[in-house]
Amino acid sequence: QSVLTQPPSASGTPGQRVTISCSGGRSNIGFNAVNWYQQLPGTAPKLIIYSNDERPPGVSDRISGSKSGTSASLAISGLQSEDEADYYCGTWDDSLSGPIFGGGTKLTVL
Amino acid sequence: QITLAESGPALVKPTQTLTLTCTLSGFSLTTSGVGVAWIRQPPGKALEWLALIYWDDDKRYVQSLKNRLTITKDTSKNQVVLTLTNVAPVDTATYYCARLHPRDFDHWGQGTLVTVSS
């Protein structure tokens, strides 16, 4: 069971806006930045959001992140079929002295 | 261009020791602030961080596997090596190495699938 809690699934129709939540605690999200990773089927994870709300070069501006207290969210607007993937949140945990991941959310584009 | 490439056996027998190598390109583990981690993903399951080594040789391990894991670096070869002792079928997973810079994994290898079976 992951230290960070994500919903196992999310879905939306093309053009819609979907959000994925990530819940943690004081020792992780509370005091550390949150990152988000996209994993397309059969491929390695890819960093899409770092430091809570920053996008690496080349990542679509339809993707955004936010953090409040001990929770974080990933939002994808203008949903497209290419967004269908697994999404993982990640951060550092001060109590565990290492990085941690959420359990992942499978996003389906209906 | 930054790349990481994992290599190692595809099949390992139970109780054996698994040794995986991550070859780095486009960056060096001698650069201040840089780390390289190993992360695994059992089939159909979530990512699990295993071990991390920094440029200054500081090492971190996931508590649940600490007694079975060893991470080392060879800066002359630009490689990071992970060993996992006494493997069991539950260790079957795709193993990834990734660069930690400074608190996010900004580059990942393609992963290598390791199956533990007799």
Side-chain angles (χ1 to χ4, degrees), chain A residues 32 35 37 39 43-45 47 50 88 92 97-99 101-103, chain B residues 39 41 45-47 49 52 54 60 96 100 103-106 108-109:
Chain A
N32 294 283
N35 312 303
Y37 304 89
Q39 187 175 33
T43 69
L47 180 68
Y50 67 97
Y88 293 90
W92 190 268
S97 294
F101 294 100
Chain B
I39 297 154
Q41 185 174 37
K45 295 190 177 181
L47 302 170
W49 167 71
L52 171 60
Y54 287 100
R60 310 288 176 93
Y96 297 99
L100 185 68
R103 284 288 178 94
D104 55 75
F105 295 110
D106 64 346
W108 295 64

PDB file of all heavy atoms in Angstrom, chain A residues 32 35 37 39 43-45 47 50 88 92 97-99 101-103, chain B residues 39 41 45-47 49 52 54 60 96 100 103-106 108-109:
ATOM      1  N   ASN A  32       7.345  18.924   1.137  1.00  0.00           N
ATOM      2  CA  ASN A  32       8.154  18.702  -0.061  1.00  0.00           C
ATOM      3  C   ASN A  32       7.342  18.931  -1.335  1.00  0.00           C
ATOM      4  O   ASN A  32       6.118  18.787  -1.338  1.00  0.00           O
ATOM      5  CB  ASN A  32       8.705  17.274  -0.057  1.00  0.00           C
ATOM      6  CG  ASN A  32       9.686  17.034   1.069  1.00  0.00           C
ATOM      7  OD1 ASN A  32      10.831  17.461   1.004  1.00  0.00           O
ATOM      8  ND2 ASN A  32       9.229  16.339   2.110  1.00  0.00           N
ATOM      9  N   ASN A  35       5.828  15.899  -7.679  1.00  0.00           N
ATOM     10  CA  ASN A  35       6.086  15.680  -9.095  1.00  0.00           C
ATOM     11  C   ASN A  35       5.047  14.707  -9.653  1.00  0.00           C
ATOM     12  O   ASN A  35       4.473  13.910  -8.900  1.00  0.00           O
ATOM     13  CB  ASN A  35       7.481  15.097  -9.302  1.00  0.00           C
ATOM     14  CG  ASN A  35       8.540  15.858  -8.537  1.00  0.00           C
ATOM     15  OD1 ASN A  35       8.693  17.069  -8.706  1.00  0.00           O
ATOM     16  ND2 ASN A  35       9.281  15.166  -7.672  1.00  0.00           N
ATOM     17  N   TYR A  37       4.215  11.967 -12.983  1.00  0.00           N
ATOM     18  CA  TYR A  37       4.790  11.182 -14.066  1.00  0.00           C
ATOM     19  C   TYR A  37       3.672  10.548 -14.882  1.00  0.00           C
ATOM     20  O   TYR A  37       2.681  10.076 -14.329  1.00  0.00           O
ATOM     21  CB  TYR A  37       5.706  10.086 -13.516  1.00  0.00           C
ATOM     22  CG  TYR A  37       6.800  10.628 -12.625  1.00  0.00           C
ATOM     23  CD1 TYR A  37       6.593  10.784 -11.258  1.00  0.00           C
ATOM     24  CD2 TYR A  37       8.018  11.016 -13.160  1.00  0.00           C
ATOM     25  CE1 TYR A  37       7.576  11.314 -10.447  1.00  0.00           C
ATOM     26  CE2 TYR A  37       9.023  11.547 -12.354  1.00  0.00           C
ATOM     27  CZ  TYR A  37       8.788  11.694 -11.001  1.00  0.00           C
ATOM     28  OH  TYR A  37       9.772  12.225 -10.198  1.00  0.00           O
ATOM     29  N   GLN A  39       2.857   7.555 -17.607  1.00  0.00           N
ATOM     30  CA  GLN A  39       3.382   6.307 -18.155  1.00  0.00           C
ATOM     31  C   GLN A  39       2.430   5.783 -19.222  1.00  0.00           C
ATOM     32  O   GLN A  39       1.371   5.247 -18.916  1.00  0.00           O
ATOM     33  CB  GLN A  39       3.588   5.262 -17.061  1.00  0.00           C
ATOM     34  CG  GLN A  39       4.292   4.005 -17.563  1.00  0.00           C
ATOM     35  CD  GLN A  39       4.615   3.018 -16.462  1.00  0.00           C
ATOM     36  OE1 GLN A  39       3.885   2.897 -15.483  1.00  0.00           O
ATOM     37  NE2 GLN A  39       5.724   2.292 -16.613  1.00  0.00           N
ATOM     38  N   THR A  43       5.681   1.728 -21.826  1.00  0.00           N
ATOM     39  CA  THR A  43       6.846   2.618 -21.851  1.00  0.00           C
ATOM     40  C   THR A  43       7.264   3.003 -20.436  1.00  0.00           C
ATOM     41  O   THR A  43       6.549   2.747 -19.467  1.00  0.00           O
ATOM     42  CB  THR A  43       6.553   3.900 -22.649  1.00  0.00           C
ATOM     43  OG1 THR A  43       5.603   4.702 -21.927  1.00  0.00           O
ATOM     44  CG2 THR A  43       6.002   3.587 -24.030  1.00  0.00           C
ATOM     45  N   ALA A  44       8.419   3.654 -20.338  1.00  0.00           N
ATOM     46  CA  ALA A  44       8.911   4.125 -19.052  1.00  0.00           C
ATOM     47  C   ALA A  44       8.154   5.382 -18.633  1.00  0.00           C
ATOM     48  O   ALA A  44       7.640   6.121 -19.479  1.00  0.00           O
ATOM     49  CB  ALA A  44      10.402   4.427 -19.153  1.00  0.00           C
ATOM     50  N   PRO A  45       8.083   5.641 -17.343  1.00  0.00           N
ATOM     51  CA  PRO A  45       7.463   6.889 -16.878  1.00  0.00           C
ATOM     52  C   PRO A  45       8.204   8.097 -17.423  1.00  0.00           C
ATOM     53  O   PRO A  45       9.408   8.059 -17.690  1.00  0.00           O
ATOM     54  CB  PRO A  45       7.596   6.800 -15.350  1.00  0.00           C
ATOM     55  CG  PRO A  45       7.691   5.337 -15.072  1.00  0.00           C
ATOM     56  CD  PRO A  45       8.480   4.780 -16.214  1.00  0.00           C
ATOM     57  N   LEU A  47       8.498  12.427 -16.720  1.00  0.00           N
ATOM     58  CA  LEU A  47       8.187  13.554 -15.842  1.00  0.00           C
ATOM     59  C   LEU A  47       7.361  14.585 -16.599  1.00  0.00           C
ATOM     60  O   LEU A  47       7.789  15.073 -17.658  1.00  0.00           O
ATOM     61  CB  LEU A  47       9.492  14.191 -15.355  1.00  0.00           C
ATOM     62  CG  LEU A  47       9.371  15.395 -14.428  1.00  0.00           C
ATOM     63  CD1 LEU A  47       8.797  14.982 -13.068  1.00  0.00           C
ATOM     64  CD2 LEU A  47      10.730  16.072 -14.246  1.00  0.00           C
ATOM     65  N   TYR A  50       6.962  19.047 -12.250  1.00  0.00           N
ATOM     66  CA  TYR A  50       7.902  19.015 -11.136  1.00  0.00           C
ATOM     67  C   TYR A  50       7.688  20.263 -10.271  1.00  0.00           C
ATOM     68  O   TYR A  50       7.094  21.244 -10.720  1.00  0.00           O
ATOM     69  CB  TYR A  50       9.353  18.911 -11.635  1.00  0.00           C
ATOM     70  CG  TYR A  50       9.867  20.130 -12.374  1.00  0.00           C
ATOM     71  CD1 TYR A  50      10.611  21.096 -11.716  1.00  0.00           C
ATOM     72  CD2 TYR A  50       9.603  20.308 -13.739  1.00  0.00           C
ATOM     73  CE1 TYR A  50      11.079  22.216 -12.381  1.00  0.00           C
ATOM     74  CE2 TYR A  50      10.063  21.420 -14.415  1.00  0.00           C
ATOM     75  CZ  TYR A  50      10.803  22.363 -13.737  1.00  0.00           C
ATOM     76  OH  TYR A  50      11.269  23.481 -14.405  1.00  0.00           O
ATOM     77  N   TYR A  88       1.313   8.937 -12.078  1.00  0.00           N
ATOM     78  CA  TYR A  88       1.823   8.725 -10.725  1.00  0.00           C
ATOM     79  C   TYR A  88       2.279  10.051 -10.121  1.00  0.00           C
ATOM     80  O   TYR A  88       2.977  10.832 -10.786  1.00  0.00           O
ATOM     81  CB  TYR A  88       3.015   7.768 -10.734  1.00  0.00           C
ATOM     82  CG  TYR A  88       2.687   6.352 -11.127  1.00  0.00           C
ATOM     83  CD1 TYR A  88       2.738   5.939 -12.457  1.00  0.00           C
ATOM     84  CD2 TYR A  88       2.328   5.415 -10.164  1.00  0.00           C
ATOM     85  CE1 TYR A  88       2.429   4.639 -12.817  1.00  0.00           C
ATOM     86  CE2 TYR A  88       2.023   4.101 -10.516  1.00  0.00           C
ATOM     87  CZ  TYR A  88       2.075   3.734 -11.843  1.00  0.00           C
ATOM     88  OH  TYR A  88       1.768   2.434 -12.187  1.00  0.00           O
ATOM     89  N   TRP A  92       9.255  13.482  -1.918  1.00  0.00           N
ATOM     90  CA  TRP A  92      10.227  12.997  -0.946  1.00  0.00           C
ATOM     91  C   TRP A  92       9.512  12.821   0.391  1.00  0.00           C
ATOM     92  O   TRP A  92       8.622  13.599   0.712  1.00  0.00           O
ATOM     93  CB  TRP A  92      11.358  14.012  -0.809  1.00  0.00           C
ATOM     94  CG  TRP A  92      12.510  13.514  -0.015  1.00  0.00           C
ATOM     95  CD1 TRP A  92      12.713  13.649   1.340  1.00  0.00           C
ATOM     96  CD2 TRP A  92      13.634  12.788  -0.505  1.00  0.00           C
ATOM     97  NE1 TRP A  92      13.887  13.054   1.696  1.00  0.00           N
ATOM     98  CE2 TRP A  92      14.478  12.519   0.587  1.00  0.00           C
ATOM     99  CE3 TRP A  92      14.003  12.340  -1.775  1.00  0.00           C
ATOM    100  CZ2 TRP A  92      15.678  11.813   0.448  1.00  0.00           C
ATOM    101  CZ3 TRP A  92      15.192  11.654  -1.913  1.00  0.00           C
ATOM    102  CH2 TRP A  92      16.016  11.393  -0.808  1.00  0.00           C
ATOM    103  N   SER A  97      13.233   9.137   4.569  1.00  0.00           N
ATOM    104  CA  SER A  97      14.503   9.572   3.973  1.00  0.00           C
ATOM    105  C   SER A  97      14.689   9.059   2.552  1.00  0.00           C
ATOM    106  O   SER A  97      15.776   8.602   2.175  1.00  0.00           O
ATOM    107  CB  SER A  97      15.689   9.116   4.838  1.00  0.00           C
ATOM    108  OG  SER A  97      15.661   9.762   6.088  1.00  0.00           O
ATOM    109  N   GLY A  98      13.616   9.131   1.793  1.00  0.00           N
ATOM    110  CA  GLY A  98      13.698   8.675   0.404  1.00  0.00           C
ATOM    111  C   GLY A  98      12.478   9.097  -0.380  1.00  0.00           C
ATOM    112  O   GLY A  98      11.503   9.606   0.177  1.00  0.00           O
ATOM    113  N   PRO A  99      12.524   8.884  -1.688  1.00  0.00           N
ATOM    114  CA  PRO A  99      11.380   9.235  -2.525  1.00  0.00           C
ATOM    115  C   PRO A  99      10.251   8.208  -2.413  1.00  0.00           C
ATOM    116  O   PRO A  99      10.502   7.042  -2.099  1.00  0.00           O
ATOM    117  CB  PRO A  99      11.971   9.232  -3.937  1.00  0.00           C
ATOM    118  CG  PRO A  99      13.143   8.329  -3.866  1.00  0.00           C
ATOM    119  CD  PRO A  99      13.653   8.369  -2.454  1.00  0.00           C
ATOM    120  N   PHE A 101       6.150   7.131  -4.171  1.00  0.00           N
ATOM    121  CA  PHE A 101       5.193   7.288  -5.260  1.00  0.00           C
ATOM    122  C   PHE A 101       3.790   6.965  -4.786  1.00  0.00           C
ATOM    123  O   PHE A 101       3.605   6.200  -3.831  1.00  0.00           O
ATOM    124  CB  PHE A 101       5.530   6.338  -6.417  1.00  0.00           C
ATOM    125  CG  PHE A 101       6.826   6.634  -7.115  1.00  0.00           C
ATOM    126  CD1 PHE A 101       7.965   5.898  -6.811  1.00  0.00           C
ATOM    127  CD2 PHE A 101       6.915   7.627  -8.072  1.00  0.00           C
ATOM    128  CE1 PHE A 101       9.173   6.149  -7.456  1.00  0.00           C
ATOM    129  CE2 PHE A 101       8.108   7.894  -8.723  1.00  0.00           C
ATOM    130  CZ  PHE A 101       9.238   7.146  -8.406  1.00  0.00           C
ATOM    131  N   GLY A 102       2.823   7.519  -5.489  1.00  0.00           N
ATOM    132  CA  GLY A 102       1.451   7.110  -5.282  1.00  0.00           C
ATOM    133  C   GLY A 102       1.181   5.793  -5.980  1.00  0.00           C
ATOM    134  O   GLY A 102       2.027   5.282  -6.728  1.00  0.00           O
ATOM    135  N   GLY A 103      -0.001   5.250  -5.769  1.00  0.00           N
ATOM    136  CA  GLY A 103      -0.357   3.965  -6.345  1.00  0.00           C
ATOM    137  C   GLY A 103      -0.714   4.016  -7.820  1.00  0.00           C
ATOM    138  O   GLY A 103      -0.900   2.977  -8.451  1.00  0.00           O
TER     139      GLY A 103
ATOM    140  N   ILE B  39      14.260   1.981  -9.486  1.00  0.00           N
ATOM    141  CA  ILE B  39      12.831   1.926  -9.237  1.00  0.00           C
ATOM    142  C   ILE B  39      12.296   0.699  -9.970  1.00  0.00           C
ATOM    143  O   ILE B  39      12.707   0.435 -11.098  1.00  0.00           O
ATOM    144  CB  ILE B  39      12.154   3.208  -9.781  1.00  0.00           C
ATOM    145  CG1 ILE B  39      12.678   4.437  -9.042  1.00  0.00           C
ATOM    146  CG2 ILE B  39      10.637   3.110  -9.687  1.00  0.00           C
ATOM    147  CD1 ILE B  39      12.594   5.719  -9.839  1.00  0.00           C
ATOM    148  N   GLN B  41       8.819  -1.963 -11.012  1.00  0.00           N
ATOM    149  CA  GLN B  41       7.376  -1.997 -11.237  1.00  0.00           C
ATOM    150  C   GLN B  41       6.959  -3.425 -11.550  1.00  0.00           C
ATOM    151  O   GLN B  41       7.144  -3.899 -12.677  1.00  0.00           O
ATOM    152  CB  GLN B  41       7.002  -1.057 -12.370  1.00  0.00           C
ATOM    153  CG  GLN B  41       5.516  -0.926 -12.611  1.00  0.00           C
ATOM    154  CD  GLN B  41       5.185   0.122 -13.647  1.00  0.00           C
ATOM    155  OE1 GLN B  41       5.910   0.292 -14.637  1.00  0.00           O
ATOM    156  NE2 GLN B  41       4.111   0.856 -13.425  1.00  0.00           N
ATOM    157  N   LYS B  45       1.418  -3.344 -11.651  1.00  0.00           N
ATOM    158  CA  LYS B  45       1.399  -2.677 -10.345  1.00  0.00           C
ATOM    159  C   LYS B  45       2.108  -1.323 -10.385  1.00  0.00           C
ATOM    160  O   LYS B  45       2.567  -0.877 -11.439  1.00  0.00           O
ATOM    161  CB  LYS B  45       2.022  -3.595  -9.293  1.00  0.00           C
ATOM    162  CG  LYS B  45       1.213  -4.861  -9.062  1.00  0.00           C
ATOM    163  CD  LYS B  45       1.710  -5.640  -7.862  1.00  0.00           C
ATOM    164  CE  LYS B  45       0.844  -6.858  -7.621  1.00  0.00           C
ATOM    165  NZ  LYS B  45       1.290  -7.642  -6.437  1.00  0.00           N
ATOM    166  N   ALA B  46       2.210  -0.701  -9.212  1.00  0.00           N
ATOM    167  CA  ALA B  46       2.728   0.658  -9.125  1.00  0.00           C
ATOM    168  C   ALA B  46       4.263   0.691  -9.067  1.00  0.00           C
ATOM    169  O   ALA B  46       4.923  -0.332  -8.878  1.00  0.00           O
ATOM    170  CB  ALA B  46       2.152   1.348  -7.889  1.00  0.00           C
ATOM    171  N   LEU B  47       4.789   1.891  -9.202  1.00  0.00           N
ATOM    172  CA  LEU B  47       6.227   2.104  -9.086  1.00  0.00           C
ATOM    173  C   LEU B  47       6.660   1.978  -7.624  1.00  0.00           C
ATOM    174  O   LEU B  47       5.945   2.406  -6.717  1.00  0.00           O
ATOM    175  CB  LEU B  47       6.582   3.507  -9.585  1.00  0.00           C
ATOM    176  CG  LEU B  47       6.194   3.846 -11.026  1.00  0.00           C
ATOM    177  CD1 LEU B  47       6.376   5.329 -11.286  1.00  0.00           C
ATOM    178  CD2 LEU B  47       7.022   3.019 -12.004  1.00  0.00           C
ATOM    179  N   TRP B  49      10.217   2.718  -5.378  1.00  0.00           N
ATOM    180  CA  TRP B  49      11.604   3.122  -5.292  1.00  0.00           C
ATOM    181  C   TRP B  49      12.386   2.105  -4.460  1.00  0.00           C
ATOM    182  O   TRP B  49      11.920   1.642  -3.418  1.00  0.00           O
ATOM    183  CB  TRP B  49      11.713   4.507  -4.658  1.00  0.00           C
ATOM    184  CG  TRP B  49      13.110   4.845  -4.250  1.00  0.00           C
ATOM    185  CD1 TRP B  49      14.158   5.130  -5.081  1.00  0.00           C
ATOM    186  CD2 TRP B  49      13.636   4.877  -2.923  1.00  0.00           C
ATOM    187  NE1 TRP B  49      15.293   5.358  -4.354  1.00  0.00           N
ATOM    188  CE2 TRP B  49      15.003   5.217  -3.025  1.00  0.00           C
ATOM    189  CE3 TRP B  49      13.090   4.677  -1.658  1.00  0.00           C
ATOM    190  CZ2 TRP B  49      15.816   5.346  -1.905  1.00  0.00           C
ATOM    191  CZ3 TRP B  49      13.892   4.809  -0.556  1.00  0.00           C
ATOM    192  CH2 TRP B  49      15.253   5.142  -0.683  1.00  0.00           C
ATOM    193  N   LEU B  52      19.037   4.601  -3.953  1.00  0.00           N
ATOM    194  CA  LEU B  52      19.468   5.874  -4.506  1.00  0.00           C
ATOM    195  C   LEU B  52      20.920   6.115  -4.116  1.00  0.00           C
ATOM    196  O   LEU B  52      21.303   5.831  -2.975  1.00  0.00           O
ATOM    197  CB  LEU B  52      18.572   6.970  -3.937  1.00  0.00           C
ATOM    198  CG  LEU B  52      18.874   8.440  -4.143  1.00  0.00           C
ATOM    199  CD1 LEU B  52      18.900   8.780  -5.613  1.00  0.00           C
ATOM    200  CD2 LEU B  52      17.828   9.266  -3.425  1.00  0.00           C
ATOM    201  N   TYR B  54      24.007   9.201  -4.487  1.00  0.00           N
ATOM    202  CA  TYR B  54      24.299  10.570  -4.875  1.00  0.00           C
ATOM    203  C   TYR B  54      25.740  10.730  -5.359  1.00  0.00           C
ATOM    204  O   TYR B  54      26.574   9.846  -5.142  1.00  0.00           O
ATOM    205  CB  TYR B  54      24.087  11.511  -3.699  1.00  0.00           C
ATOM    206  CG  TYR B  54      22.639  11.747  -3.347  1.00  0.00           C
ATOM    207  CD1 TYR B  54      22.035  11.076  -2.294  1.00  0.00           C
ATOM    208  CD2 TYR B  54      21.869  12.661  -4.065  1.00  0.00           C
ATOM    209  CE1 TYR B  54      20.719  11.306  -1.951  1.00  0.00           C
ATOM    210  CE2 TYR B  54      20.549  12.900  -3.730  1.00  0.00           C
ATOM    211  CZ  TYR B  54      19.975  12.228  -2.678  1.00  0.00           C
ATOM    212  OH  TYR B  54      18.658  12.460  -2.344  1.00  0.00           O
ATOM    213  N   ARG B  60      20.875   5.661  -0.118  1.00  0.00           N
ATOM    214  CA  ARG B  60      19.608   5.470   0.577  1.00  0.00           C
ATOM    215  C   ARG B  60      18.949   4.205   0.047  1.00  0.00           C
ATOM    216  O   ARG B  60      19.034   3.909  -1.143  1.00  0.00           O
ATOM    217  CB  ARG B  60      18.683   6.679   0.345  1.00  0.00           C
ATOM    218  CG  ARG B  60      19.321   8.032   0.602  1.00  0.00           C
ATOM    219  CD  ARG B  60      19.541   8.291   2.057  1.00  0.00           C
ATOM    220  NE  ARG B  60      20.248   9.558   2.278  1.00  0.00           N
ATOM    221  CZ  ARG B  60      19.627  10.712   2.492  1.00  0.00           C
ATOM    222  NH1 ARG B  60      18.296  10.754   2.544  1.00  0.00           N
ATOM    223  NH2 ARG B  60      20.326  11.816   2.669  1.00  0.00           N
ATOM    224  N   TYR B  96      13.802  -0.038 -13.444  1.00  0.00           N
ATOM    225  CA  TYR B  96      14.216   1.206 -14.109  1.00  0.00           C
ATOM    226  C   TYR B  96      15.314   1.891 -13.293  1.00  0.00           C
ATOM    227  O   TYR B  96      15.302   1.844 -12.060  1.00  0.00           O
ATOM    228  CB  TYR B  96      13.049   2.196 -14.179  1.00  0.00           C
ATOM    229  CG  TYR B  96      11.858   1.774 -14.986  1.00  0.00           C
ATOM    230  CD1 TYR B  96      10.720   1.248 -14.380  1.00  0.00           C
ATOM    231  CD2 TYR B  96      11.838   1.950 -16.371  1.00  0.00           C
ATOM    232  CE1 TYR B  96       9.598   0.898 -15.120  1.00  0.00           C
ATOM    233  CE2 TYR B  96      10.721   1.599 -17.125  1.00  0.00           C
ATOM    234  CZ  TYR B  96       9.610   1.080 -16.489  1.00  0.00           C
ATOM    235  OH  TYR B  96       8.511   0.727 -17.226  1.00  0.00           O
ATOM    236  N   LEU B 100      17.977  11.589 -10.541  1.00  0.00           N
ATOM    237  CA  LEU B 100      17.313  12.433  -9.552  1.00  0.00           C
ATOM    238  C   LEU B 100      17.991  13.784  -9.558  1.00  0.00           C
ATOM    239  O   LEU B 100      19.191  13.892  -9.286  1.00  0.00           O
ATOM    240  CB  LEU B 100      17.410  11.803  -8.156  1.00  0.00           C
ATOM    241  CG  LEU B 100      16.661  12.532  -7.034  1.00  0.00           C
ATOM    242  CD1 LEU B 100      15.162  12.435  -7.246  1.00  0.00           C
ATOM    243  CD2 LEU B 100      17.047  11.942  -5.688  1.00  0.00           C
ATOM    244  N   ARG B 103      15.139  16.802  -6.863  1.00  0.00           N
ATOM    245  CA  ARG B 103      14.175  16.013  -6.103  1.00  0.00           C
ATOM    246  C   ARG B 103      13.107  15.405  -7.017  1.00  0.00           C
ATOM    247  O   ARG B 103      12.069  14.951  -6.535  1.00  0.00           O
ATOM    248  CB  ARG B 103      13.503  16.851  -5.004  1.00  0.00           C
ATOM    249  CG  ARG B 103      14.390  17.089  -3.790  1.00  0.00           C
ATOM    250  CD  ARG B 103      14.531  15.825  -2.990  1.00  0.00           C
ATOM    251  NE  ARG B 103      15.394  15.941  -1.829  1.00  0.00           N
ATOM    252  CZ  ARG B 103      14.966  16.221  -0.608  1.00  0.00           C
ATOM    253  NH1 ARG B 103      13.689  16.442  -0.392  1.00  0.00           N
ATOM    254  NH2 ARG B 103      15.815  16.273   0.402  1.00  0.00           N
ATOM    255  N   ASP B 104      13.355  15.457  -8.356  1.00  0.00           N
ATOM    256  CA  ASP B 104      12.440  14.789  -9.275  1.00  0.00           C
ATOM    257  C   ASP B 104      13.239  13.876 -10.196  1.00  0.00           C
ATOM    258  O   ASP B 104      14.429  14.092 -10.417  1.00  0.00           O
ATOM    259  CB  ASP B 104      11.640  15.809 -10.099  1.00  0.00           C
ATOM    260  CG  ASP B 104      12.556  16.783 -10.851  1.00  0.00           C
ATOM    261  OD1 ASP B 104      13.156  16.356 -11.861  1.00  0.00           O
ATOM    262  OD2 ASP B 104      12.661  17.949 -10.425  1.00  0.00           O
ATOM    263  N   PHE B 105      12.590  12.845 -10.716  1.00  0.00           N
ATOM    264  CA  PHE B 105      13.241  11.915 -11.638  1.00  0.00           C
ATOM    265  C   PHE B 105      13.014  12.434 -13.058  1.00  0.00           C
ATOM    266  O   PHE B 105      11.970  12.170 -13.662  1.00  0.00           O
ATOM    267  CB  PHE B 105      12.670  10.514 -11.466  1.00  0.00           C
ATOM    268  CG  PHE B 105      12.958   9.931 -10.102  1.00  0.00           C
ATOM    269  CD1 PHE B 105      11.941   9.747  -9.184  1.00  0.00           C
ATOM    270  CD2 PHE B 105      14.251   9.567  -9.744  1.00  0.00           C
ATOM    271  CE1 PHE B 105      12.198   9.224  -7.927  1.00  0.00           C
ATOM    272  CE2 PHE B 105      14.521   9.045  -8.493  1.00  0.00           C
ATOM    273  CZ  PHE B 105      13.492   8.869  -7.579  1.00  0.00           C
ATOM    274  N   ASP B 106      13.999  13.187 -13.555  1.00  0.00           N
ATOM    275  CA  ASP B 106      13.774  13.893 -14.814  1.00  0.00           C
ATOM    276  C   ASP B 106      14.146  13.087 -16.059  1.00  0.00           C
ATOM    277  O   ASP B 106      13.721  13.437 -17.156  1.00  0.00           O
ATOM    278  CB  ASP B 106      14.492  15.253 -14.818  1.00  0.00           C
ATOM    279  CG  ASP B 106      16.009  15.128 -14.730  1.00  0.00           C
ATOM    280  OD1 ASP B 106      16.508  14.024 -14.407  1.00  0.00           O
ATOM    281  OD2 ASP B 106      16.688  16.137 -14.983  1.00  0.00           O
ATOM    282  N   TRP B 108      14.625   8.858 -17.358  1.00  0.00           N
ATOM    283  CA  TRP B 108      14.461   7.446 -17.023  1.00  0.00           C
ATOM    284  C   TRP B 108      15.068   6.579 -18.125  1.00  0.00           C
ATOM    285  O   TRP B 108      15.068   6.954 -19.300  1.00  0.00           O
ATOM    286  CB  TRP B 108      12.984   7.097 -16.910  1.00  0.00           C
ATOM    287  CG  TRP B 108      12.240   7.755 -15.808  1.00  0.00           C
ATOM    288  CD1 TRP B 108      11.994   9.099 -15.652  1.00  0.00           C
ATOM    289  CD2 TRP B 108      11.613   7.109 -14.703  1.00  0.00           C
ATOM    290  NE1 TRP B 108      11.258   9.324 -14.519  1.00  0.00           N
ATOM    291  CE2 TRP B 108      11.007   8.119 -13.912  1.00  0.00           C
ATOM    292  CE3 TRP B 108      11.495   5.781 -14.291  1.00  0.00           C
ATOM    293  CZ2 TRP B 108      10.301   7.831 -12.735  1.00  0.00           C
ATOM    294  CZ3 TRP B 108      10.798   5.498 -13.134  1.00  0.00           C
ATOM    295  CH2 TRP B 108      10.205   6.508 -12.368  1.00  0.00           C
ATOM    296  N   GLY B 109      15.549   5.396 -17.730  1.00  0.00           N
ATOM    297  CA  GLY B 109      15.913   4.407 -18.720  1.00  0.00           C
ATOM    298  C   GLY B 109      14.663   3.738 -19.271  1.00  0.00           C
ATOM    299  O   GLY B 109      13.551   3.993 -18.801  1.00  0.00           O
TER     300      GLY B 109
END
